[in-house]
Amino acid sequence: MNNWFSRFLTSSLGKKLLMALTGLFLILFLVVHLSGNLQLLKNDGGRSFNIYAEFMSTNILIQTISKLNFTFILLHVLLSLYLTIQNRRARGSERYAVTSGKSSIWASRNMGVLGTLVLIFIVVHLRHFYGEMHFGSVPTVNYDGKEVRDLASVVDYWFSKDWYVALYVFSMGALGFHLWHGFVSAFQTLGLNHPKYNGLIFFVGKTFSVVVPALFAWIPIAMYFNI
Amino acid sequence: MKLTLKIWRQKGPHVKGEFKTYVHEHVSPDMSFLEMLDVLNTELIKKGEEPIHFDHDCREGICGMCSLYINGRPHGPLQTTTCQLHMRSFKDGETITIEPWRAKPFPVIKDLVVDRSAFDRIQQSGGYISVNTGGAPDANEIPIPKKIADEAMDAATCIGCGACVAACKNASAMLFVAAKVSQLALLPQGHPERKERVERMVAQMDAEGFGACTNTRACEAECPKGISVAHIARMNREYYTAMLSSYELPSKAGGE
Ligand code: HEM
């Protein structure tokens, strides 16, 4: 395994490039996922959400992208584990007795912790929603003669539990902090740092990291309190 | 001023070190940080104790020899070198913790002195340009836009002190390597070895055991020369392009 390609991807810069590319793909995935979730807020008894969910879980193209997405999450997580351990080792056996947090932002120093919180959430959430949809038994409803699984009722069930809503909102907070650093950081990793675009990347990145997690978190809150 | 100093003492590379506390009664706010240590060392020598070893050379902020991790920050609370840091930046009665740079590739030699030759090896792996022998070329023969020359100069101000490594939570040397790569990549004189340079320097950096970059930008905030992480982005671009497009030498090249 000493060809140029494997040397490229296993170098410190190559691994970081993969982190950034998978991270950016996951950001795109968040947008699609959010646009689907927001349909839960429609007052139609979950109809548009169910039709959307049925489409997403049966369409071949979407299912292929979904498998790709799982692969990227796995890659992102494994690389992050590898990098975090390697980076800790680089400090050496003796660590600093005193450190100051003045020269960097908190989120940037805690990407591993924030990522792990997001990962725990992803696992719990996959088990309850993705797992039910693909391997469980979801009751069906009949829309104009077509049998559609009523995923909205499963969501309703979980979003009526206070611990679940709390976990959801907390996890979206962690995701927000992860992205507060991660979004802009990914562009720096790609080498896209230029005075002409830095302002735009910064603005879009910071706005995204607040607005998207906030909208995700709003859905369980709204459903819990019947707003 | 009276100060309490918690200083890392370590007899040698493979010996366990520990903090020792010293009360320093004779500190003037006009002293530089290194002069403050000189005075302490004079007292230690008079008492027959082993003086505290620390790196220093020019004492005018241009050689990159002085180090010291002071109260959790490389070169202390100001964005400067330790020799240019003065005791007026501290309060009377303060406790100051002084540690060596901590990084696996920078092993402690003694007390606060670390071995930074990993930087030399990175530099040797690619931080050079080819110059033909013969008559000296005219200095102004190659046109270089002022902005590019300035950008290269900004990178070239790196004194290789290692504050970036010390400041980084990953003990990453990205800012140092990026400055060296950037400086030569920007100038026409650096172009013949452009791709090979970045490939080799990054490979050497990895081999030395420095960490990867998380883009926390702590290096930029602590660099006494204020070198920007924009150079790291440039190094990334240089590296990706080089890896994807450089000519691989066949493993059994002729000539032998
Ligand atoms: C929807 C989920 C996620 C998104 C959108 C996301 C996005 C990102 C982005 C954009 C970056 C910046 C890459 C760069 O600096 O170049 C990043 C970095 C990182 N992510 Fe994630 N991530 C997600 C989930 C996770 C998970 C589940 C983990 C791990 C358990 C994780 C761990 C990390 C770590 C440790 C870094 C920093 C790596 C480093 O540079 O040292 N992320 N993420």
PDB file of all heavy atoms in Angstrom, chain B residues 187-206:
ATOM      1  N   LEU B 187       6.856  32.493  -4.878  1.00  0.00           N
ATOM      2  CA  LEU B 187       7.891  33.150  -5.674  1.00  0.00           C
ATOM      3  C   LEU B 187       8.344  32.276  -6.847  1.00  0.00           C
ATOM      4  O   LEU B 187       8.452  31.064  -6.704  1.00  0.00           O
ATOM      5  CB  LEU B 187       9.101  33.465  -4.775  1.00  0.00           C
ATOM      6  CG  LEU B 187       8.809  34.407  -3.612  1.00  0.00           C
ATOM      7  CD1 LEU B 187      10.035  34.565  -2.733  1.00  0.00           C
ATOM      8  CD2 LEU B 187       8.330  35.763  -4.116  1.00  0.00           C
ATOM      9  N   PRO B 188       8.652  32.899  -7.982  1.00  0.00           N
ATOM     10  CA  PRO B 188       9.091  32.123  -9.148  1.00  0.00           C
ATOM     11  C   PRO B 188      10.328  31.269  -8.857  1.00  0.00           C
ATOM     12  O   PRO B 188      10.442  30.163  -9.357  1.00  0.00           O
ATOM     13  CB  PRO B 188       9.418  33.196 -10.195  1.00  0.00           C
ATOM     14  CG  PRO B 188       8.996  34.493  -9.649  1.00  0.00           C
ATOM     15  CD  PRO B 188       8.533  34.334  -8.258  1.00  0.00           C
ATOM     16  N   GLN B 189      11.196  31.777  -8.000  1.00  0.00           N
ATOM     17  CA  GLN B 189      12.412  31.016  -7.697  1.00  0.00           C
ATOM     18  C   GLN B 189      12.103  29.666  -7.069  1.00  0.00           C
ATOM     19  O   GLN B 189      12.913  28.749  -7.120  1.00  0.00           O
ATOM     20  CB  GLN B 189      13.328  31.804  -6.730  1.00  0.00           C
ATOM     21  CG  GLN B 189      14.010  32.992  -7.347  1.00  0.00           C
ATOM     22  CD  GLN B 189      13.162  34.259  -7.257  1.00  0.00           C
ATOM     23  OE1 GLN B 189      11.950  34.179  -7.099  1.00  0.00           O
ATOM     24  NE2 GLN B 189      13.794  35.415  -7.381  1.00  0.00           N
ATOM     25  N   GLY B 190      10.928  29.558  -6.445  1.00  0.00           N
ATOM     26  CA  GLY B 190      10.598  28.313  -5.760  1.00  0.00           C
ATOM     27  C   GLY B 190       9.888  27.309  -6.647  1.00  0.00           C
ATOM     28  O   GLY B 190       9.561  26.211  -6.201  1.00  0.00           O
ATOM     29  N   HIS B 191       9.615  27.672  -7.907  1.00  0.00           N
ATOM     30  CA  HIS B 191       8.749  26.828  -8.717  1.00  0.00           C
ATOM     31  C   HIS B 191       9.322  25.502  -9.207  1.00  0.00           C
ATOM     32  O   HIS B 191       8.576  24.535  -9.290  1.00  0.00           O
ATOM     33  CB  HIS B 191       8.147  27.646  -9.859  1.00  0.00           C
ATOM     34  CG  HIS B 191       7.000  28.474  -9.366  1.00  0.00           C
ATOM     35  ND1 HIS B 191       6.017  28.980 -10.166  1.00  0.00           N
ATOM     36  CD2 HIS B 191       6.671  28.856  -8.110  1.00  0.00           C
ATOM     37  CE1 HIS B 191       5.149  29.651  -9.423  1.00  0.00           C
ATOM     38  NE2 HIS B 191       5.531  29.601  -8.182  1.00  0.00           N
ATOM     39  N   PRO B 192      10.617  25.424  -9.509  1.00  0.00           N
ATOM     40  CA  PRO B 192      11.103  24.118  -9.993  1.00  0.00           C
ATOM     41  C   PRO B 192      10.803  22.958  -9.037  1.00  0.00           C
ATOM     42  O   PRO B 192      10.462  21.873  -9.471  1.00  0.00           O
ATOM     43  CB  PRO B 192      12.616  24.342 -10.123  1.00  0.00           C
ATOM     44  CG  PRO B 192      12.754  25.801 -10.369  1.00  0.00           C
ATOM     45  CD  PRO B 192      11.654  26.454  -9.592  1.00  0.00           C
ATOM     46  N   GLU B 193      10.891  23.210  -7.713  1.00  0.00           N
ATOM     47  CA  GLU B 193      10.671  22.119  -6.746  1.00  0.00           C
ATOM     48  C   GLU B 193       9.291  22.197  -6.117  1.00  0.00           C
ATOM     49  O   GLU B 193       9.030  21.533  -5.114  1.00  0.00           O
ATOM     50  CB  GLU B 193      11.706  22.177  -5.619  1.00  0.00           C
ATOM     51  CG  GLU B 193      13.143  22.090  -6.037  1.00  0.00           C
ATOM     52  CD  GLU B 193      13.740  23.449  -6.359  1.00  0.00           C
ATOM     53  OE1 GLU B 193      13.001  24.456  -6.337  1.00  0.00           O
ATOM     54  OE2 GLU B 193      14.945  23.514  -6.653  1.00  0.00           O
ATOM     55  N   ARG B 194       8.400  22.993  -6.686  1.00  0.00           N
ATOM     56  CA  ARG B 194       7.154  23.327  -6.005  1.00  0.00           C
ATOM     57  C   ARG B 194       6.362  22.118  -5.492  1.00  0.00           C
ATOM     58  O   ARG B 194       6.015  22.034  -4.317  1.00  0.00           O
ATOM     59  CB  ARG B 194       6.288  24.141  -6.962  1.00  0.00           C
ATOM     60  CG  ARG B 194       5.059  24.707  -6.318  1.00  0.00           C
ATOM     61  CD  ARG B 194       4.403  25.680  -7.260  1.00  0.00           C
ATOM     62  NE  ARG B 194       3.167  26.198  -6.701  1.00  0.00           N
ATOM     63  CZ  ARG B 194       2.423  27.108  -7.306  1.00  0.00           C
ATOM     64  NH1 ARG B 194       2.817  27.625  -8.469  1.00  0.00           N
ATOM     65  NH2 ARG B 194       1.307  27.530  -6.754  1.00  0.00           N
ATOM     66  N   LYS B 195       6.096  21.164  -6.398  1.00  0.00           N
ATOM     67  CA  LYS B 195       5.267  20.024  -5.997  1.00  0.00           C
ATOM     68  C   LYS B 195       6.015  19.058  -5.086  1.00  0.00           C
ATOM     69  O   LYS B 195       5.487  18.576  -4.092  1.00  0.00           O
ATOM     70  CB  LYS B 195       4.749  19.295  -7.237  1.00  0.00           C
ATOM     71  CG  LYS B 195       3.723  20.118  -7.996  1.00  0.00           C
ATOM     72  CD  LYS B 195       3.268  19.439  -9.257  1.00  0.00           C
ATOM     73  CE  LYS B 195       2.268  20.337  -9.989  1.00  0.00           C
ATOM     74  NZ  LYS B 195       1.967  19.827 -11.324  1.00  0.00           N
ATOM     75  N   GLU B 196       7.259  18.799  -5.476  1.00  0.00           N
ATOM     76  CA  GLU B 196       8.067  17.886  -4.682  1.00  0.00           C
ATOM     77  C   GLU B 196       8.237  18.422  -3.261  1.00  0.00           C
ATOM     78  O   GLU B 196       8.224  17.673  -2.291  1.00  0.00           O
ATOM     79  CB  GLU B 196       9.423  17.800  -5.362  1.00  0.00           C
ATOM     80  CG  GLU B 196      10.148  16.505  -5.182  1.00  0.00           C
ATOM     81  CD  GLU B 196      11.483  16.580  -5.910  1.00  0.00           C
ATOM     82  OE1 GLU B 196      11.473  16.618  -7.165  1.00  0.00           O
ATOM     83  OE2 GLU B 196      12.515  16.624  -5.226  1.00  0.00           O
ATOM     84  N   ARG B 197       8.397  19.749  -3.170  1.00  0.00           N
ATOM     85  CA  ARG B 197       8.648  20.367  -1.870  1.00  0.00           C
ATOM     86  C   ARG B 197       7.517  20.080  -0.898  1.00  0.00           C
ATOM     87  O   ARG B 197       7.732  19.581   0.205  1.00  0.00           O
ATOM     88  CB  ARG B 197       8.821  21.878  -2.009  1.00  0.00           C
ATOM     89  CG  ARG B 197       8.912  22.603  -0.658  1.00  0.00           C
ATOM     90  CD  ARG B 197       9.053  24.106  -0.802  1.00  0.00           C
ATOM     91  NE  ARG B 197      10.164  24.439  -1.661  1.00  0.00           N
ATOM     92  CZ  ARG B 197      10.048  25.022  -2.865  1.00  0.00           C
ATOM     93  NH1 ARG B 197       8.858  25.374  -3.303  1.00  0.00           N
ATOM     94  NH2 ARG B 197      11.099  25.274  -3.587  1.00  0.00           N
ATOM     95  N   VAL B 198       6.295  20.382  -1.324  1.00  0.00           N
ATOM     96  CA  VAL B 198       5.179  20.256  -0.382  1.00  0.00           C
ATOM     97  C   VAL B 198       4.953  18.786  -0.030  1.00  0.00           C
ATOM     98  O   VAL B 198       4.682  18.440   1.113  1.00  0.00           O
ATOM     99  CB  VAL B 198       3.906  20.955  -0.921  1.00  0.00           C
ATOM    100  CG1 VAL B 198       3.360  20.287  -2.167  1.00  0.00           C
ATOM    101  CG2 VAL B 198       2.844  21.045   0.159  1.00  0.00           C
ATOM    102  N   GLU B 199       5.127  17.896  -1.018  1.00  0.00           N
ATOM    103  CA  GLU B 199       4.960  16.467  -0.734  1.00  0.00           C
ATOM    104  C   GLU B 199       5.958  16.007   0.323  1.00  0.00           C
ATOM    105  O   GLU B 199       5.617  15.320   1.276  1.00  0.00           O
ATOM    106  CB  GLU B 199       5.174  15.636  -2.002  1.00  0.00           C
ATOM    107  CG  GLU B 199       4.025  15.718  -2.979  1.00  0.00           C
ATOM    108  CD  GLU B 199       4.179  14.742  -4.143  1.00  0.00           C
ATOM    109  OE1 GLU B 199       4.877  13.718  -3.978  1.00  0.00           O
ATOM    110  OE2 GLU B 199       3.618  15.009  -5.218  1.00  0.00           O
ATOM    111  N   ARG B 200       7.211  16.411   0.138  1.00  0.00           N
ATOM    112  CA  ARG B 200       8.254  15.948   1.056  1.00  0.00           C
ATOM    113  C   ARG B 200       8.124  16.572   2.435  1.00  0.00           C
ATOM    114  O   ARG B 200       8.330  15.906   3.441  1.00  0.00           O
ATOM    115  CB  ARG B 200       9.628  16.297   0.494  1.00  0.00           C
ATOM    116  CG  ARG B 200       9.956  15.474  -0.717  1.00  0.00           C
ATOM    117  CD  ARG B 200      11.415  15.592  -1.024  1.00  0.00           C
ATOM    118  NE  ARG B 200      11.742  14.724  -2.148  1.00  0.00           N
ATOM    119  CZ  ARG B 200      12.942  14.630  -2.670  1.00  0.00           C
ATOM    120  NH1 ARG B 200      13.922  15.362  -2.174  1.00  0.00           N
ATOM    121  NH2 ARG B 200      13.168  13.825  -3.671  1.00  0.00           N
ATOM    122  N   MET B 201       7.815  17.869   2.458  1.00  0.00           N
ATOM    123  CA  MET B 201       7.760  18.535   3.763  1.00  0.00           C
ATOM    124  C   MET B 201       6.588  18.016   4.591  1.00  0.00           C
ATOM    125  O   MET B 201       6.709  17.819   5.805  1.00  0.00           O
ATOM    126  CB  MET B 201       7.696  20.054   3.598  1.00  0.00           C
ATOM    127  CG  MET B 201       9.021  20.625   3.087  1.00  0.00           C
ATOM    128  SD  MET B 201       9.051  22.416   2.931  1.00  0.00           S
ATOM    129  CE  MET B 201       9.490  22.914   4.592  1.00  0.00           C
ATOM    130  N   VAL B 202       5.443  17.760   3.929  1.00  0.00           N
ATOM    131  CA  VAL B 202       4.300  17.220   4.659  1.00  0.00           C
ATOM    132  C   VAL B 202       4.606  15.797   5.134  1.00  0.00           C
ATOM    133  O   VAL B 202       4.313  15.430   6.279  1.00  0.00           O
ATOM    134  CB  VAL B 202       3.013  17.261   3.795  1.00  0.00           C
ATOM    135  CG1 VAL B 202       1.890  16.471   4.441  1.00  0.00           C
ATOM    136  CG2 VAL B 202       2.572  18.702   3.570  1.00  0.00           C
ATOM    137  N   ALA B 203       5.251  15.006   4.270  1.00  0.00           N
ATOM    138  CA  ALA B 203       5.605  13.634   4.657  1.00  0.00           C
ATOM    139  C   ALA B 203       6.543  13.649   5.868  1.00  0.00           C
ATOM    140  O   ALA B 203       6.392  12.865   6.806  1.00  0.00           O
ATOM    141  CB  ALA B 203       6.246  12.907   3.492  1.00  0.00           C
ATOM    142  N   GLN B 204       7.520  14.578   5.858  1.00  0.00           N
ATOM    143  CA  GLN B 204       8.465  14.660   6.973  1.00  0.00           C
ATOM    144  C   GLN B 204       7.756  15.115   8.252  1.00  0.00           C
ATOM    145  O   GLN B 204       7.986  14.575   9.328  1.00  0.00           O
ATOM    146  CB  GLN B 204       9.609  15.617   6.621  1.00  0.00           C
ATOM    147  CG  GLN B 204      10.741  15.629   7.640  1.00  0.00           C
ATOM    148  CD  GLN B 204      11.448  14.282   7.743  1.00  0.00           C
ATOM    149  OE1 GLN B 204      11.573  13.566   6.748  1.00  0.00           O
ATOM    150  NE2 GLN B 204      11.864  13.911   8.948  1.00  0.00           N
ATOM    151  N   MET B 205       6.858  16.087   8.086  1.00  0.00           N
ATOM    152  CA  MET B 205       6.086  16.575   9.235  1.00  0.00           C
ATOM    153  C   MET B 205       5.311  15.422   9.881  1.00  0.00           C
ATOM    154  O   MET B 205       5.306  15.260  11.105  1.00  0.00           O
ATOM    155  CB  MET B 205       5.118  17.668   8.756  1.00  0.00           C
ATOM    156  CG  MET B 205       4.039  18.068   9.744  1.00  0.00           C
ATOM    157  SD  MET B 205       2.990  19.361   9.053  1.00  0.00           S
ATOM    158  CE  MET B 205       1.859  18.381   8.064  1.00  0.00           C
ATOM    159  N   ASP B 206       4.670  14.590   9.034  1.00  0.00           N
ATOM    160  CA  ASP B 206       3.916  13.448   9.557  1.00  0.00           C
ATOM    161  C   ASP B 206       4.854  12.443  10.221  1.00  0.00           C
ATOM    162  O   ASP B 206       4.550  11.902  11.288  1.00  0.00           O
ATOM    163  CB  ASP B 206       3.133  12.751   8.431  1.00  0.00           C
ATOM    164  CG  ASP B 206       1.959  13.599   7.946  1.00  0.00           C
ATOM    165  OD1 ASP B 206       1.688  14.640   8.582  1.00  0.00           O
ATOM    166  OD2 ASP B 206       1.320  13.228   6.939  1.00  0.00           O
TER     167      ASP B 206
END
